[in-house]
Amino acid sequence: DAKTTQPPSMDCAEGRAANLPCNHSTISGNEYVYWYRQIHSQGPQYIIHGLKNNETNEMASLIITEDRKSSTLILPHATLRDTAVYYCIVRARHNTNAGKSTFGDGTTLTVKP
Amino acid sequence: DAGVTQSPTHLIKTRGQQVTLRCSPKSGHDTVSWYQQALGQGPQFIFQYYEEEERQRGNFPDRFSGHQFPNYSSELNVNALLLGDSALYLCASSLGGTLVGEQFFGPGTRLTVL
């Protein structure tokens, strides 16, 4: 799996959009971009994923650059409950070196009143 | 509809002992993946089970082994426990035996090795 780079922490005001960046410059053509989040003391929660096109669901939007070397997760109207660690992961359907099929250290997003 | 369940919630063991953790996947899911999450770090992939076989494995020693049962539930076994094995062990269920697709995580088992 490709390695990802995320800022360690970000703040966002409640009600504003939160934009979380992720760099994955070594991504391969068959690798998807996934986003999960983990609220303290809980298991990670799936948010969204994409391959090439931008994606949107009820939780968030995912913007992938044309060269696929980076992406941005957008929470359109952040609430206090969105405070969590957000993980960006890239992975293929099968991975012979799944030791890298892992979550990095993620971005700790703090939503402030 | 129950989500992913794991047992026990917490466990304390001493070095050299063996431990077995259990996971029941979300209804309708046939694939179980196990992760280790040390304090302050992201989850690290251990292995994945599909059709009762280990399909993919991360960089973990053979002390870590597993099993999947016909009802898709799974066990993670760790032998000869080390202090460094202290972590939150997460189980994730999904469909189809691949690493893509949405994974649903359980609440985890907190293992402390003394």
Side-chain angles (χ1 to χ4, degrees):
Chain A
D1 283 351
K3 192 172 180 179
T4 61
T5 305
Q6 298 178 254
S9 63
M10 293 181 65
D11 291 343
C12 177
E14 187 177 20
R16 302 296 294 269
N19 297 281
L20 291 91
C22 179
N23 286 323
H24 31 80
S25 58
T26 59
I27 191 170
S28 299
N30 65 340
E31 289 181 319
Y32 294 76
V33 180
Y34 279 80
W35 284 84
Y36 282 79
R37 73 180 181 184
Q38 188 173 25
I39 296 170
H40 185 61
S41 299
Q42 298 181 21
Q45 176 191 24
Y46 167 84
I47 301 173
I48 199 167
H49 76 281
L51 184 62
K52 295 181 183 178
N53 300 321
N54 298 337
E55 302 287 344
T56 296
N57 63 19
E58 64 279 4
M59 288 182 68
S61 295
L62 173 61
I63 308 298
I64 303 174
T65 58
E66 192 169 345
D67 63 7
R68 301 207 327 122
K69 294 185 176 183
S70 66
S71 61
T72 300
L73 178 74
I74 302 173
L75 307 178
H77 305 287
T79 71
L80 299 179
R81 288 179 294 181
D82 291 323
T83 293
V85 179
Y86 287 77
Y87 296 102
C88 166
I89 314 151
V90 292
R91 52 176 40 164
R93 184 168 298 275
H94 297 285
N95 193 341
T96 57
N97 187 10
K100 296 195 177 80
S101 176
T102 194
F103 293 57
D105 291 335
T107 296
T108 298
L109 175 68
T110 302
V111 180
K112 298 185 175 181
Chain B
D1 175 28
V4 179
T5 60
Q6 293 186 243
S7 63
T9 305
H10 295 86
L11 203 53
I12 299 174
K13 292 285 188 178
T14 57
R15 279 179 298 175
Q17 285 190 312
Q18 179 265 345
V19 68
T20 297
L21 310 181
R22 295 175 176 82
C23 172
S24 291
K26 180 179 169 65
S27 178
H29 282 184
D30 57 10
T31 303
V32 173
S33 301
W34 287 92
Y35 293 81
Q36 179 195 68
Q37 185 173 25
L39 202 60
Q41 298 182 15
Q44 308 288 307
F45 176 73
I46 302 175
F47 43 52
Q48 181 183 75
Y49 275 83
Y50 173 64
E51 294 184 332
E52 302 180 45
E53 290 186 5
E54 182 184 298
R55 296 289 177 161
Q56 306 188 65
R57 189 178 183 94
N59 290 336
F60 279 80
D62 292 344
R63 298 187 298 109
F64 289 78
S65 64
H67 188 78
Q68 185 178 36
F69 299 94
N71 67 353
Y72 308 122
S73 66
S74 177
E75 289 181 348
L76 164 66
N77 300 295
V78 187
N79 295 323
L81 284 167
L82 304 174
L83 295 179
D85 295 332
S86 295
L88 180 68
Y89 288 85
L90 295 160
C91 165
S93 77
S94 57
L95 276 171
T98 74
L99 287 175
V100 295
E102 184 176 350
Q103 289 190 330
F104 289 80
F105 282 80
T109 293
R110 173 72 62 185
L111 173 65
T112 302
V113 182
L114 302 177

